[in-house]
Every structure is written in structure tokens, then in C-alpha cells.
Amino acid sequence: MRYLVTGGAGFIGSNTVDELVRRGHSVVVLDDLSSGKEDNLAEIRNKITFIKGSITDIEVVRKAMHEAEYVLHLGARTSVPRSVKDPIDTNKINIEGTLNVLVAAKELKVKRVVFAASSSAYGETPTLPKVETMQPQPISPYGVTKYVGELYGQTFGRCYGLENVSLRYFNIFGPRQDPSSPYSGVLAKFCTAFLEDTKPMVFGDGEQTRDFTYVENAVQANLLACEAPNASGKVFNVGVGERISLNEVLRELGKISGKRIEAKYEPPRDGDIRDSQADISQARECLDYDPQVRFEEGLARTFEWYRATQTRAPAKAEK
Ligand code: UD1
């Protein structure tokens, strides 16, 4: 099978590409390297086709999608605070970029587009866990863009018969998540703070919770979503089904690292939701999704990965 992975040089993208290659598929990666890195593909570089380009350029998207059967659309601006600071940029990449991917997929008659949606579409729902039947009420521009991506996918299904599945990721973490941007995911930041003996920064009281999900689980969901029958037009939560507070994460990292490091508490961040936890029964039932790696094990593996790769470039500020 031939797959196009947009954002395939990024964190979740490159982990997905590794697995596709391991299974013997033919893979094209489209990535503008704005946050992804060619290094993430180093081990399989000669087994894939890499195209450096942006999803905002439909000609490039068409070229990359040539003869693809499945499209895993993971290219995006991924940060909530970045979208609060610059909603136009996030809109351009996440909405216009997604529209280009869908238009090209319709023209080129791909079998199915799997879209990296986000739990941030829910916003502050009054009850937990979050179920797909709840009305999304995003509270950040980022959440809006991810929700619109789902709606566009479903609408392309209705208008043009394009098969589509949206996966609402719940805080994916693991090897290759970039720790060096001010907009990086919290676990990447916390792991490297513990390794570098610097104080992790906590926005708020640290009692906010997330359903932290090890990347291998997300990769499993991505691959299942391509071929699962009766899944087209649907939205699925991809998490583990647990919720862990940032303070618990810090305690766990203390155990894993054997270090006592005090965190620095800062005011809460705009656009942040308080709690997040997935109900994954729909994904279990319809996709056969069954997360294999629990939080503690995933965190231990992730910490070990950062420890082993500590020679990486020093932190840089984002434009
Ligand atoms: C994350 C993802 C987003 C995804 C969503 C749902 C990232 C960068 N964002 O958003 O793409 O769609 O989950 O899966 O991966 N925090 C700190 N200190 C830090 C950094 C963050 O306390 O140094 C706090 C934040 O204020 C927030 C929590 O940690 O309360 C999680 O933040 P973050 O890792 O940025 O993830 P989300 O905003 O939940």
C-alpha cells in the first residue's frame, strides 16, 4: 500500500512512518520542516520518499499525493498558546492546509484520509471522561482549527464520497517530541528539565489533568483508522482513558530520575483547559484500538530516550 504522511518528519508523524515502513508499505512524507526534523527519519531515509514542502501549497500536496491510497494528515501547528498568540498562522496551516489535503485527496481518489484531530475541540466539558457525542466547545483558536478540520473531512465525505476518519488525540508524548520550543508539549519540557537539573515550569497549580498517551498507542490508532470498516465519517478519541495531574507527573519523574527537583509555579496559560480524559470505548469497538503502553511505562521509556539523546542541539527560541 502507498501512504502519504503529511507532517511525517514530526513527532507523531515520524513514529507512524517508522511503523509503516516496518510493515513494508511504500511511504511519501510531506513536511516543511518548520517543526519536524529530517533527523527523525534518519533510520529509514533511504526507504521512503521525502518531499520538503508545505500543505499550504496545493500543487505540492497534489504532487506528494500522487498514487497514494491512504493519507495520514498530521501536518499542523500543534500548540494551543501559539494559536492564542497568532491565530492567523494557526488557521492558515491547520484549516487552509487541511482543505488543500482534502481537495487533492478527492481529485486523486485516495481511499481514505485520516486526520489528526484533537481533544482540544471539546473545550471545558462539565463531565469526564469526554465522549464523542458531546458537543465540542473549543476555548482556543487551535481547538477551533482542529474541530473545523473534522467538519471539513465529514463534509467532503457527504459532498464527494471521500472516506475520512478523525482521531482526537489526547496529549500524545514520547520519543522525538521536541522539547526545545517555548510551545513544546509539557512532558518533553519536564523530562529535559529533570535531565538538566533545571526547574520545570508549571502553568497554574499543577492540579490540571491530562490523559497523557504514549505515542505508540497513537501510531496503532493511525494505522487501524486507515482500514477499519464502517469508520468513515466518524470521530474517535485516542487516549488511554486515565487522567494524570502535572504534579503527579513531577512525582513520577522524581522516582524515575532519582532526583528531587522543585518546580516553579507560574500563572495559568490562556486557552488551557483544566481537565482532560478520554472515553475510548468507541475507538475500541469500531477501530479495534487497544492501547498497549500505560502512562508510567511510557514516561519511563520517554525519559530514557531523552537521556540517551542528550547531545541534541541547545534550546532555541521560536520565531
Ligand atoms: C496538547 C498538544 C496539542 C494536542 C492536545 C490534545 C502539544 C504542544 N500540544 O495540548 O497539540 O492537540 O494536547 O492532544 O503537544 N504546561 C506547563 N509547563 C510547560 C508546558 C505546559 O505547566 O512547560 C501545562 C500547560 O499549561 C497545560 C498542560 O501543561 O495545562 C499541557 O500543556 P501542553 O503540553 O502544551 O498540551 P495541551 O495544551 O494540552
Side-chain angles (χ1 to χ4, degrees), residues 78-81 117-120 142 169-172 177 183-187 189-190 201-203 208 210 246 269 272-273:
T78 57
S79 158
V80 170
S118 167
S119 61
S120 60
Y142 172 78
Y169 296 154
F170 279 69
N171 291 77
I172 315 299
Q177 189 170 30
Y183 301 121
S184 295
V186 67
L187 289 197
K189 289 259 179 229
F190 281 8
M201 217 155 22
V202 177
F203 300 121
Q208 66 265 52
R210 294 290 185 273
L246 296 191
R269 234 172 44 175
D272 262 4
I273 54 165

Side-chain angles (χ1 to χ4, degrees), residues 68-318:
E69 281 151 305
Y70 297 104
V71 174
L72 285 153
H73 174 37
L74 276 61
R77 284 275 185 272
T78 57
S79 158
V80 170
R82 185 165 173 173
S83 80
V84 173
K85 193 169 165 223
D86 190 351
I88 291 176
D89 175 69
T90 299
N91 191 90
K92 190 173 171 58
I93 310 287
N94 293 6
I95 298 185
E96 292 179 33
T98 297
L99 185 57
N100 286 341
V101 168
L102 291 170
V103 168
K106 159 185 90 77
E107 291 169 354
L108 296 167
K109 300 193 170 28
V110 307
K111 281 195 205 301
R112 189 176 282 181
V113 176
V114 173
F115 172 60
S118 167
S119 61
S120 60
Y122 288 109
E124 299 283 22
T125 55
T127 41
L128 292 170
K130 304 192 185 207
V131 191
E132 294 88 342
T133 47
M134 289 171 174
Q135 174 61 45
Q137 284 183 311
I139 60 167
S140 65
Y142 172 78
V144 171
T145 66
K146 285 292 176 177
Y147 183 41
V148 170
E150 294 177 7
L151 295 176
Y152 255 132
Q154 291 170 331
T155 304
F156 269 60
R158 290 186 203 107
C159 286
Y160 312 110
L162 176 66
E163 288 209 7
N164 63 92
V165 174
S166 294
L167 300 177
R168 286 185 185 157
Y169 296 154
F170 279 69
N171 291 77
I172 315 299
F173 73 97
R176 300 194 188 137
Q177 189 170 30
D178 180 8
S180 68
S181 145
Y183 301 121
S184 295
V186 67
L187 289 197
K189 289 259 179 229
F190 281 8
C191 283
T192 46
F194 268 77
L195 282 163
E196 291 161 0
D197 297 309
T198 54
K199 283 178 186 263
M201 217 155 22
V202 177
F203 300 121
D205 61 5
E207 288 304 306
Q208 66 265 52
T209 58
R210 294 290 185 273
D211 190 342
F212 289 110
T213 303
Y214 189 64
V215 64
E216 204 176 288
N217 300 325
V219 169
Q220 185 205 93
N222 284 343
L223 270 57
L224 289 168
C226 289
E227 295 189 79
N230 307 319
S232 181
K234 294 187 181 151
V235 173
F236 299 97
N237 289 340
V238 173
V240 175
E242 289 167 1
R243 66 194 179 103
I244 293 135
S245 72
L246 296 191
N247 289 330
E248 285 174 272
V249 171
L250 292 170
R251 281 194 288 277
E252 194 60 32
L253 277 173
K255 276 194 244 162
I256 293 170
S257 65
K259 292 180 182 177
R260 284 173 65 98
I261 292 186
E262 293 287 305
K264 188 164 176 253
Y265 288 81
E266 300 279 342
R269 234 172 44 175
D270 287 341
D272 262 4
I273 54 165
R274 180 74 180 168
D275 294 305
S276 184
Q277 182 184 12
D279 178 327
I280 55 170
S281 32
Q282 169 106 332
R284 277 192 193 280
E285 198 177 311
C286 203
L287 301 179
D288 213 15
Y289 168 67
D290 185 17
Q292 296 295 306
V293 186
R294 298 281 301 275
F295 171 71
E296 290 78 8
E297 187 190 337
L299 188 64
R301 286 196 208 174
T302 305
F303 185 79
E304 178 50 32
W305 184 83
Y306 285 115
R307 203 189 55 70
T309 53
Q310 241 193 349
T311 47
R312 68 178 197 289
K316 59 177 187 306
E318 190 106 344

